[in-house]
């Protein structure tokens, strides 16, 4: 087992930045630097069959218990993420210790800086609910390097949570969306290297809905340009359930719902989104769907409205979308039928 301590002496995390309320992208904390405000870290290059990896942090001179780090279960079907699932960095941490085999240095990430929005934002109403367009939330399209979009008939919907960031790290939730976009799109070591935001939609605690993965137009999210919302409508392939993305609509709520429920506003918007999409696509939200990925041949029987964790037989272990959000998904699907 390879056990290496980082941030020792004058050494710092190479190819890393800070993610949180303080610090700037690319900053490297040196020995003794207070990392308060850093939000998460991630390991690189965890192999599929590697022994479990973990990290621990030194806070106030004492080491925390080891925290397991999982290989990412998000991402594109054709391009595994280079970074692991995210791990919270405790406030006040000044060292991180990696316990893993053949794993390179972790990064500690920072939000993109941006001026606050001062004018009304562009919003799409294409599918019966308002969704802030990519130009509306300020997507830097130079980071969108996925290439020509691919499409497949919509079969299922999958619900996620960001876990981290929760949105509280920012003054504006649109900064949260931009931060997730950068983490998904930028190449290693600054991000997962997927070339775009992995979700089709994101929902903030105020219930505001944001367009995600670029479908080929800024006018409307999710579907192939010119598509009508009807059974068989083609959805752009995103990167939110590794191995099962084609025909799978990913909806992510901003926040950590492992121990708490989302806000009423967020749940209301999620209910509206599920209702409009299931109704328009002719999907029975209570059904078990014989999902077939036309891109790689993966097949699975899954709920029509699933949590990310329902896909673990395909994508690997994940705690997303948090126990509390996952538990109430049946209630939301029932409401979508009213």
């Amino acid at each position: 087992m390879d056990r290496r301590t980082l941030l020792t002496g004058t050494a710092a995390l190479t190819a890393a930045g800070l993610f949180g309320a303080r610090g700037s992208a690319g900053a490297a904390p040196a020995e003794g630097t207070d990392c308060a405000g850093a939000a998460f870290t991630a390991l690189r290059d965890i192999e599929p069959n590697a022994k479990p990896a973990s990290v621990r942090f030194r806070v106030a001179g004492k080491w925390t218990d080891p925290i397991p780090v999982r290989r990412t279960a998000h991402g594109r079907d054709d391009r595994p993420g280079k970074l692991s699932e995210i791990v919270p960095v405790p406030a006040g941490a000044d060292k991180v210790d990696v316990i893993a085999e053949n794993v390179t240095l972790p990064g500690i990430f920072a939000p993109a800086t941006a001026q606050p929005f001062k004018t009304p934002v562009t919003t799409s109403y294409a599918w019966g609910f308002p969704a802030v367009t990519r130009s509306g939330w300020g997507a830097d399209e130079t980071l969108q390097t996925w290439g020509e979009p691919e499409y497949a008939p919509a079969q299922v919907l999958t619900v996620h949570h960001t876990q981290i960031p929760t949105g509280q790290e920012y003054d504006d939730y649109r900064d949260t969306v931009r931060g997730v976009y950068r983490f998904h799109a930028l190449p290693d070591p600054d991000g997962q290297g997927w070339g775009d935001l992995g979700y089709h939609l994101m929902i903030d605690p105020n219930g505001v809905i944001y367009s995600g993965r670029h479908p080929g137009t800024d006018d409307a999210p999710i579907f192939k340009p010119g598509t009508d919302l009807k059974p068989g409508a083609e959805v752009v392939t995103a990167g939110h359930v590794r191995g099962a993305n084609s025909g799978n609509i990913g909806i992510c709520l901003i926040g950590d719902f492992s121990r708490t429920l989302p806000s009423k506003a967020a749940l209301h918007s999620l209910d509206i989104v599920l209702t409009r999409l299931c109704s328009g696509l002719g999907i029975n939200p209570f059904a078990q769907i014989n999902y077939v990925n036309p891109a790689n041949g993966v097949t699975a029987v899954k709920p029509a409205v699933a949590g990310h964790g329902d896909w673990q037989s395909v994508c690997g272990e994940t705690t997303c979308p948090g126990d509390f959000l996952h538990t109430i998904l049946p209630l939301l699907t029932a409401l979508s039928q009213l």
Side-chain angles (χ1 to χ4, degrees):
M1 176 173 291
D2 176 27
R3 186 185 186 98
R4 65 182 76 180
T5 301
L6 308 176
L7 304 181
T8 57
T10 58
L13 286 178
T14 60
L18 293 174
F19 184 103
R22 297 200 297 275
S24 59
E31 167 71 6
T33 298
D34 184 358
C35 294
F40 69 87
T41 188
L43 300 185
R44 295 167 58 192
D45 301 315
I46 296 180
E47 296 299 325
N49 299 317
K51 292 182 180 179
S54 61
V55 296
R56 61 177 186 161
F57 301 94
R58 191 180 71 176
V59 181
K62 296 182 179 179
W63 289 100
T64 65
D65 292 333
I67 302 170
V69 183
R70 300 181 177 89
R71 185 169 181 251
T72 184
H74 298 75
R76 293 171 55 162
D77 296 344
D78 62 342
R79 186 183 300 175
K82 295 294 291 183
L83 304 179
S84 69
E85 292 289 321
I86 53 182
V87 178
V89 175
D94 62 9
K95 279 190 178 181
V96 56
D97 190 35
V98 182
I99 308 168
E101 287 188 340
N102 301 318
V103 172
T104 53
L105 298 178
I108 301 177
F109 298 88
T113 57
Q115 294 298 316
F117 285 75
K118 297 180 180 179
T119 58
V121 295
T122 308
T123 302
S124 168
Y125 295 87
W127 317 124
F129 52 82
V132 177
T133 65
R134 290 172 65 95
S135 61
W137 56 260
D140 178 356
E141 296 299 1
T142 64
L143 306 182
Q144 205 283 101
T145 59
W146 193 309
E148 289 298 315
E150 298 178 347
Y151 309 93
Q155 301 178 56
V156 291
L157 299 89
T158 301
V159 177
H160 303 258
H161 72 164
T162 57
Q163 187 178 27
I164 299 170
T166 64
Q168 301 306 311
E169 302 89 348
Y170 303 90
D171 295 328
D172 190 314
Y173 287 124
R174 287 165 288 197
D175 289 325
T176 309
V177 177
R178 281 191 292 261
V180 174
Y181 172 44
R182 289 175 61 85
F183 179 57
H184 286 189
L186 287 173
D188 172 53
D190 298 311
Q192 293 286 21
W194 298 327
D196 200 359
L197 187 55
Y199 309 115
H200 291 92
L201 297 172
M202 296 185 69
I203 301 174
D204 75 21
N206 290 328
V208 177
I209 304 164
Y210 302 87
S211 303
R213 166 80 173 111
H214 202 304
T217 177
D218 191 50
D219 297 333
I222 306 173
F223 297 102
K224 185 176 182 179
T227 295
D228 294 324
L229 185 57
K230 61 183 181 181
E234 290 188 285
V235 59
V236 64
T237 299
H240 58 101
V241 177
R242 181 166 47 82
N245 282 302
S246 295
N248 190 344
I249 299 175
I251 306 161
C252 182
L253 275 63
I254 294 172
D256 181 357
F257 307 116
S258 304
R259 297 179 178 84
T260 60
L261 287 171
S263 68
K264 291 181 180 179
L267 289 175
H268 180 64
S269 290
L270 178 59
D271 176 39
I272 291 173
V273 168
L274 294 177
T275 299
R276 297 290 190 269
L277 294 181
C278 286
S279 176
L281 294 168
I283 293 176
N284 177 356
F286 297 107
Q288 294 289 310
I289 303 296
N290 294 312
Y291 171 80
V292 179
N293 189 331
N296 59 17
V298 166
T299 62
V301 178
K302 299 297 178 183
V305 177
H308 189 184
D310 291 317
W311 291 93
Q312 292 188 83
S313 62
V314 175
C315 67
E317 187 177 1
T318 179
T319 60
C320 181
D323 290 343
F324 275 62
L325 177 53
H326 191 267
T327 298
I328 65 169
L329 282 180
L331 172 61
L332 291 173
T333 56
L335 289 173
S336 71
Q337 291 291 91
L338 297 178

